[in-house]
Amino acid sequence: AGVRGYAYELWATVALQHHQLTIDWRLANTGHRSFTTRQYTHNFFRFDNHDVGPNYVLEFPYNSVAQGLEPEQQQVGRAILVRKRIPKWINLVVPWPKGYGGANICTLRQLDTRLAVTCQTSLPSIRTAIHARPEYVAPEQFVAFTLAAGQDVRWSRSYLFVAPESHGDHP
């Protein structure tokens, strides 16, 4: 029924095909007042039981300056390198660059295992927040939109998992 004129419905359709997980989203403003909101998805990645530390790399297709780097991380060009095991936790922000019209994408790699995941969101971002602990890395691509009464918005998020050629040790 909503509250003070605000109401919405949110749908998600999840599909898995080969090595890609896709989530199609739809948000509808079912109230009579407009609203602005942000959306992101928690993503927790860990590769082959390797703690987050040396040889984890997060890459972006655009130039931006990461905010909140700790001594264990270093930005080199468009990549954030983890130099040492994360001792407790970190929170970084990679701003969306003004004027950038390319894909909203980032790729997390673990170089020892050659495993990777590419995260892509169909809408432009406002930022990518990165939360990490020794057990996982969570790159979260934020999108924002304003919906008038009766409007809806649709977008998708996909996760492409990449593994080296299998020799019986990886699926």
Side-chain angles (χ1 to χ4, degrees):
V3 175
R4 293 187 298 254
Y6 295 104
Y8 68 90
E9 291 182 0
L10 177 66
W11 296 270
T13 303
V14 179
L16 179 63
Q17 185 175 15
H18 303 289
H19 296 98
Q20 184 165 326
L21 174 70
T22 302
I23 306 165
D24 292 317
W25 296 91
R26 178 175 174 240
L27 175 65
N29 183 348
T30 58
H32 64 270
R33 297 182 71 177
S34 66
F35 64 83
T36 299
T37 189
R38 299 176 309 210
Q39 196 274 347
Y40 68 98
T41 300
H42 285 298
N43 310 303
F44 299 94
F45 300 113
R46 178 181 178 91
F47 295 111
D48 208 15
N49 209 29
H50 286 259
D51 278 352
V52 179
N55 294 321
Y56 271 81
V57 177
L58 183 60
E59 302 166 327
F60 294 88
Y62 50 80
N63 295 320
S64 192
V65 177
Q67 301 164 357
L69 291 170
E70 299 287 337
E72 295 81 20
Q73 306 89 50
Q74 176 184 9
Q75 184 168 356
V76 177
R78 297 176 174 180
I80 297 171
L81 312 175
V82 180
R83 297 293 189 190
K84 296 179 183 176
R85 183 179 182 272
I86 294 175
K88 186 175 178 184
W89 55 266
I90 60 167
N91 287 310
L92 309 175
V93 173
V94 177
W96 183 258
K98 291 182 181 178
Y100 177 72
N104 184 359
I105 194 168
C106 63
T107 299
L108 178 66
R109 300 180 192 284
Q110 206 293 329
L111 302 178
D112 291 333
T113 62
R114 298 184 324 192
L115 298 172
V117 60
T118 297
C119 309
Q120 184 164 1
T121 300
S122 62
L123 295 175
S125 191
I126 56 174
R127 70 178 174 272
T128 298
I130 302 149
H131 176 70
R133 291 183 176 266
E135 299 82 14
Y136 60 81
V137 177
E140 299 163 345
Q141 297 156 294
F142 279 70
V143 294
F145 23 79
T146 299
L147 295 176
Q151 282 189 319
D152 70 349
V153 63
R154 295 169 190 259
W155 70 99
S156 66
R157 295 182 183 278
S158 66
Y159 305 91
L160 177 63
F161 298 92
V162 179
E165 291 297 318
S166 179
H167 298 288
D169 56 349
H170 289 294

